[in-house]
């Protein structure tokens, strides 16, 4: 005989009553749970409030429109990160296509002007690191930020960036290697 | 300058998830220094197990070159930690970003179980029984009305106070602004007529139909009341069937019976309205 868990002849399964863990979270609950993290992500990606606001708003709008079609068991956090990542990456691509020459100028964190051993203090260095992160290729930047600041697993990063786990890991490692080659020497100077 | 950032399929270059770098470094023909340096980025982002971290520390302690490389990686890691500064707040609220109005909600414990209460900028917009329903089910329904729910207990204080007084038997009418949202004129008429049924009275669905000028529409009246977003405040529990039985109720007939009992109206064993009740 076929029996559904929890269901008997005169008792409908719990799902039929709309109770139990089968009720998907409402959209507002998903936003309440993950909205702040998504804004933080947008901020880390852009380091600029106007751009972060734009990515955040576009992510919310896309998510709101698509939410009804989403599987209730979905990993909502990774799903939101994915929308935000796509928004960010396609926005960068669009900017570069429209005006490739401004690619270097669009960067929001100003590149440090002076590069002299004596004058480089810790604050200059942090600005420089911030700047270098915003100069990483978008996918590497996104992967590094998710791993470093959002405690994302590589599986989540893979979903968020529409790639494989191996590629997600490679993107994070590649970003760190680049940062190290850029800073290894100068980091040494300000060592306490 | 264009950068090709999509890594090629370099599986061999990356420590496979789960495979130990310690074993890898022991393989014949493998230079442990290569393994150590390749593992360093992963060290910064929590990829390594405790034995692997120990191995890496041990190796770098005994190898000058790796020690220097490791040192610079650690400083990059520290710099990244330090740049994780406080994030500003979004300029727009979520509701504004989505072009929706906010519905602030809170909760109230009542003799008929927990209740979710929500209020928009226009007024009370939801009283939802949670005894047999998930919170997110109620929130999802609020969302279908173009509202964005945000938990804020203080905002619903006037409503929860008045409902609390009602359940304590100290209040017979409600004095709250109401937001029914976009509803049909028919439903508006039904809810309006129902609102005018006083505490302790019961009316039939047919009588409501007659009062709004739609005699014979008692079934439609029942349907409209079934979608009443504000039970208790719009007292649809005071509407019963013409044969004196209770009829359906949004929170279940058990709740309907308790509300009517609170108002002094009792149903007998056969679930019929007890004689003497004030039915029209």
């Amino acid at each position: 005989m076929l029996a559904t868990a929890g269901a008997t002849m005169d008792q409908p399964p719990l799902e039929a009553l709309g109770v139990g863990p089968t009720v998907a979270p409402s959209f507002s609950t998903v936003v309440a749970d993950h909205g702040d993290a998504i804004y933080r992500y947008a901020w880390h990606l852009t380091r600029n409030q106007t751009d972060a606001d734009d990515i955040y708003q576009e992510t919310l709008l896309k998510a709101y429109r698509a939410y009804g079609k989403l599987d209730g068991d979905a990993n909502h956090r990774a799903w939101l990160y994915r929308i935000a990542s796509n928004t960010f990456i396609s926005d960068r691509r669009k900017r570069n296509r429209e005006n490739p020459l401004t690619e270097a100028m669009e960067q929001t964190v100003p590149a440090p002007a002076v590069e002299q051993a004596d004058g480089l203090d810790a604050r200059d260095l942090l600005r420089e690191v911030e700047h270098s992160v915003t100069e990483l290729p978008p996918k590497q930047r996104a992967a590094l930020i998710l791993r470093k600041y959002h405690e994302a697993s590589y599986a989540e990063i893979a979903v968020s960036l529409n790639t494989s786990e191996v590629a997600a890991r490679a993107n994070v490692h590649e970003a760190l290697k680049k940062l190290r080659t850029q800073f290894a020497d100068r980091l040494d100077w300000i060592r306490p | 300058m264009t950068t090709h950032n999509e890594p090629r399929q370099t599986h061999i270059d990356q420590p496979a998830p789960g495979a130990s770098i310690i074993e890898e470094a022991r393989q014949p023909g493998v230079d442990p220094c290569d393994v150590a340096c390749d593992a360093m980025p992963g060290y910064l982002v929590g990829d390594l197990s405790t034995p692997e971290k120990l191995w890496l520390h041990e190796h770098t302690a005994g190898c000058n070159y790796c020690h220097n490389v490791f040192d610079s990686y650690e400083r990059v890691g520290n710099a990244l930690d330090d740049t994780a500064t406080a994030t500003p707040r979004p300029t727009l609220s979520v509701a504004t970003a989505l072009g929706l109005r906010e519905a602030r909600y809170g909760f109230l414990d009542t003799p008929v179980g927990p209740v979710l209460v929500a209020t928009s900028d226009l007024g009370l917009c939801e009283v939802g029984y949670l005894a047999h329903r998930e919170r997110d089910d109620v929130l999802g329904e609020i969302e279908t009305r173009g509202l964005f729910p945000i938990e804020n207990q203080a905002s619903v204080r006037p409503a929860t106070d008045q409902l609390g007084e009602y359940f304590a038997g100290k209040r017979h009418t409600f004095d709250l602004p109401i937001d029914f949202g976009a509803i049909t004129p028919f439903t508006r008429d039904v809810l309006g007529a129902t609102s005018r049924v006083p505490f302790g009275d019961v009316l039939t669905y047919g009588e409501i139909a007659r009062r709004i000028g739609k005699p014979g529409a008692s079934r439609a009246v029942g349907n409209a009341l079934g979608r009443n977003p504000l039970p208790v405040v719009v007292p649809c529990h005071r509407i019963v069937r013409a044969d004196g039985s209770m009829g359906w109720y949004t929170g279940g007939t058990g709740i309907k019976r308790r509300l009517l009992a609170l108002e002094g109206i009792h149903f007998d064993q056969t679930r019929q309205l007890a004689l003497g009740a004030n039915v029209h």
Side-chain angles (χ1 to χ4, degrees), chain A residues 126 148, chain B residues 44 71-84:
Chain A
L126 287 187
K148 182 75 192 160
Chain B
L44 295 187
D71 210 43
S72 56
Y73 266 118
E74 278 201 304
R75 279 188 229 131
V76 166
N78 292 341
L80 286 173
D81 287 341
D82 291 344
T83 57

Side-chain angles (χ1 to χ4, degrees), chain B residues 109-122:
Chain B
D109 274 322
T110 76
V112 294
V115 168
L116 185 148
V117 179
T119 176
S120 74
D121 51 338
L122 298 177

Side-chain angles (χ1 to χ4, degrees), chain B residues 12-31:
Chain B
I12 341 114
D13 293 340
Q14 300 302 323
S20 162
I21 59 166
I22 307 169
E23 277 158 41
E24 205 186 325
R26 281 196 197 120
Q27 297 299 311
V30 170
D31 182 351

